[in-house]
Amino acid sequence: SKTKKLLNKYVTEDNSLIDYNLEIPMRYSGDRDKIIINPKHKDFQYYDVPESLTHEVMHMIDNRKNITLSNSDFIQNEINMAKIEINNNKEKYLNLFMNNDEYKENMTLSDIFSAITNNELHGNFSHNSDKWMIHEVKYKEVVANILTAEITNNKITLEVIKEIKPLQRIKERLLK
């Protein structure tokens, strides 16, 4: 699978490290250019590990290739447009996240909505609202999640991305 190939290529001794003191199950550190993993974190068991590692690898690739930074005006504009589109259909998405476990438990989709709506709308996974105040972080999260959905073939997320045209345009630009 695409996921397995990607993880075999990037989750190596050179690119990752175990840190039992990490305050979350895993994250990419741009400063250290490594994926840091805490397999003993109390929430680690709730993570879809291949999907989460794919997400962190996407941050690593983004950082190394400046994908978000080199497309930041475009991404900023499309995220603003996506927010308008989501707000115009808020009831629909709220209903999906509240009444459908496939949406509620979808980490990638939840993260995209959390970022775009500043935590107004998301499933069971989100980040602290302070994180979304830093626009570059927001854009990088959306980029990492769109690419993660593509690589892991996350059908539900890909359907929603296709439905929300600004997100589809970001995906098309990223996959060029």
Side-chain angles (χ1 to χ4, degrees), residues 22 51 53 59 73 83 87-88 100 111 121 128 152 167 170 174:
L22 185 66
E51 181 183 21
L53 282 172
H59 280 305
D73 290 344
K83 185 172 184 175
N87 281 335
N88 287 343
N100 186 324
D111 217 14
L121 198 57
N128 187 310
T152 61
L167 295 182
I170 292 172
L174 295 173

Side-chain angles (χ1 to χ4, degrees), residues 70-174:
S70 60
N71 290 288
S72 63
D73 290 344
F74 173 78
I75 291 167
Q76 176 180 10
N77 186 53
E78 295 301 326
I79 286 174
N80 289 337
M81 299 298 285
K83 185 172 184 175
I84 292 166
E85 204 169 309
I86 290 167
N87 281 335
N88 287 343
N89 296 287
K90 200 171 199 166
E91 288 300 312
K92 171 188 170 181
Y93 294 115
L94 197 57
N95 196 25
L96 283 175
F97 281 121
M98 287 176 71
N99 301 317
N100 186 324
D101 283 348
E102 283 188 289
Y103 288 81
K104 192 188 301 184
E105 297 296 332
N106 188 314
M107 195 179 249
T108 301
L109 185 63
S110 185
D111 217 14
I112 290 171
F113 273 77
S114 173
I116 292 172
T117 67
N118 297 320
N119 272 351
E120 287 174 30
L121 198 57
H122 57 79
N124 285 347
F125 303 93
S126 63
H127 289 283
N128 187 310
S129 293
D130 295 346
K131 181 171 184 162
W132 305 136
M133 295 306 170
I134 306 162
H135 293 296
E136 183 185 323
V137 171
K138 178 189 296 200
Y139 307 152
K140 286 183 175 200
E141 269 310 302
V142 172
V143 165
N145 281 303
I146 289 173
L147 292 172
T148 298
E150 182 66 23
I151 285 165
T152 61
N153 197 24
N154 183 324
K155 291 185 185 343
I156 288 173
T157 303
L158 292 172
E159 282 171 27
V160 174
I161 288 169
K162 191 173 182 180
E163 205 174 88
I164 300 171
K165 297 303 176 213
L167 295 182
Q168 180 63 23
R169 288 190 293 269
I170 292 172
K171 180 183 154 202
E172 288 167 4
R173 168 81 69 103
L174 295 173

Side-chain angles (χ1 to χ4, degrees), residues 14-45:
D14 291 342
N15 288 332
S16 58
L17 63 91
I18 302 289
D19 177 354
Y20 296 118
N21 296 314
L22 185 66
E23 68 287 351
I24 55 177
M26 66 181 73
R27 76 179 189 87
Y28 169 70
S29 165
D31 300 340
R32 295 163 86 172
D33 192 32
K34 288 191 185 302
I35 296 165
I36 306 169
I37 305 162
N38 181 355
K40 291 189 175 175
H41 189 279
K42 64 180 174 49
D43 294 336
F44 191 85
Q45 63 185 331

